[in-house]
Amino acid sequence: MRRPREMTESLPGDAWVRLAPGEFFEFHVDRPLNPSVGELQQWLRQIRGGVLSTSFGIENELTLLALANMFGTNDHGAVNREYYEQEQAWRAEQGLEAKIDRVKPIIRSRRDKEIADTIIHKLAEYRELRNLLAHYPGWIEPVNDHETKLTVGLRLFIADRVHQWEVDTPQATHWAEMLSFVRVSVENVRREIVGAPPLAPDGSPPPAESVIGNGNTSQAVTFTGRKELRGIAVTALRAD
């Protein structure tokens, strides 16, 4: 869950243990913490990798959607060199916000207002998550039993300039589902433009017998791996 960031400085390393004044980090070797510091650090690395690799797929779809809207196709062979030059110019852009702003009117023109509002809201949430995982370190805080003077658990956090999140299984699952929704929603708008059958809501490709409107299978290209991030989210931090 997102909440306002506390006035804490970022640590110099990712997922280091942060101790508040008067706190401690201590446990017996015969009663190891589950998950351990190393397991939480590895999990955060997996989430970063999943978010950033999925982000490439989303950014690629934003560019392809804008191109499909301009040229009516994503088939390089069906258009002149202007397609190539426009594609390279848009791919050279460094800012994600400009790529999102470019497709907002396209989405609004092809979806009912309520659905379009949801997609655009999720695109803003995606941009926030992408920037969070690309630029900010996380940290670990011990959960302490002050009577026994032992650490009994660990909590993982990450924050940007304004907000902070506890990175637990429900939060990671929410992020995974949001990214999948964004990816599928944007791609299905593009598929509608080029005459390709839509993906299923879970991102599965259309049935093999589906017919692409213009017969060009290259326009139905989709990325695999949408479920990997979700798998990271729901299988992590198991206490078994």
Side-chain angles (χ1 to χ4, degrees):
M1 180 180 295
R2 188 180 75 172
R3 57 188 175 90
R5 177 172 183 164
E6 299 171 359
M7 297 301 293
T8 54
E9 295 181 357
S10 296
L11 295 176
D14 194 25
W16 286 13
V17 176
R18 178 195 297 279
L19 294 180
E23 286 293 348
F24 56 88
F25 178 42
E26 185 174 350
F27 59 93
H28 289 307
V29 293
D30 58 347
R31 296 176 61 186
L33 298 173
N34 186 16
S36 66
V37 170
E39 288 170 336
L40 285 177
Q41 290 172 336
Q42 175 64 20
W43 190 42
L44 184 56
R45 286 193 293 269
Q46 290 176 323
I47 291 175
R48 281 192 196 280
V51 168
L52 296 178
S53 63
T54 302
S55 180
F56 168 77
I58 294 173
E59 289 190 47
N60 187 62
E61 277 300 325
L62 294 173
T63 299
L64 292 176
L65 172 55
L67 289 166
N69 183 70
M70 177 176 285
F71 295 97
T73 181
N74 290 127
D75 181 7
H76 296 71
V79 291
N80 55 30
R81 185 174 175 80
E82 184 181 352
Y83 182 103
Y84 170 82
E85 293 173 348
Q86 185 63 75
E87 178 183 10
Q88 298 310 308
W90 282 342
R91 290 190 183 280
E93 290 179 340
Q94 300 299 312
L96 177 56
E97 186 172 6
K99 296 177 181 179
I100 292 175
D101 286 344
R102 185 177 296 116
V103 304
K104 285 180 181 179
I106 304 172
I107 293 170
R108 290 201 180 279
S109 70
R110 290 185 168 269
R111 294 293 182 266
D112 293 339
K113 183 180 185 304
E114 183 176 354
I115 296 174
D117 286 346
T118 299
I119 296 172
I120 290 170
H121 173 75
K122 293 294 184 181
L123 278 167
E125 186 179 352
Y126 149 66
R127 183 172 69 88
E128 178 183 63
L129 177 62
R130 186 266 179 198
N131 291 340
L132 174 71
L133 271 297
H135 300 295
Y136 292 91
W139 72 91
I140 295 170
E141 293 182 4
V143 178
N144 291 328
D145 184 332
H146 289 269
E147 292 185 3
T148 63
K149 299 296 183 182
L150 290 175
T151 299
V152 296
L154 299 169
R155 300 170 70 188
L156 177 63
F157 296 89
I158 192 169
D160 60 17
R161 183 179 180 182
V162 180
H163 299 103
Q164 73 179 46
W165 294 257
E166 181 171 2
V167 186
D168 53 15
T169 300
Q171 182 62 70
T173 302
H174 169 76
W175 284 339
E177 292 173 349
M178 179 270 292
L179 289 173
S180 178
F181 174 84
V182 169
R183 181 70 172 77
V184 172
S185 297
V186 172
E187 182 169 341
N188 276 345
V189 175
R190 177 177 71 86
R191 283 171 167 265
E192 180 179 291
I193 293 173
V194 302
L199 301 175
D202 67 353
S204 301
E209 63 271 15
S210 295
V211 177
I212 299 174
N214 58 14
N216 191 335
T217 57
S218 69
Q219 298 199 44
V221 171
T222 183
F223 282 80
T224 59
R226 291 189 186 86
K227 298 180 181 178
E228 277 76 356
L229 183 61
R230 183 177 299 174
I232 290 171
V234 299
T235 60
L237 302 184
R238 292 184 301 179
D240 55 8

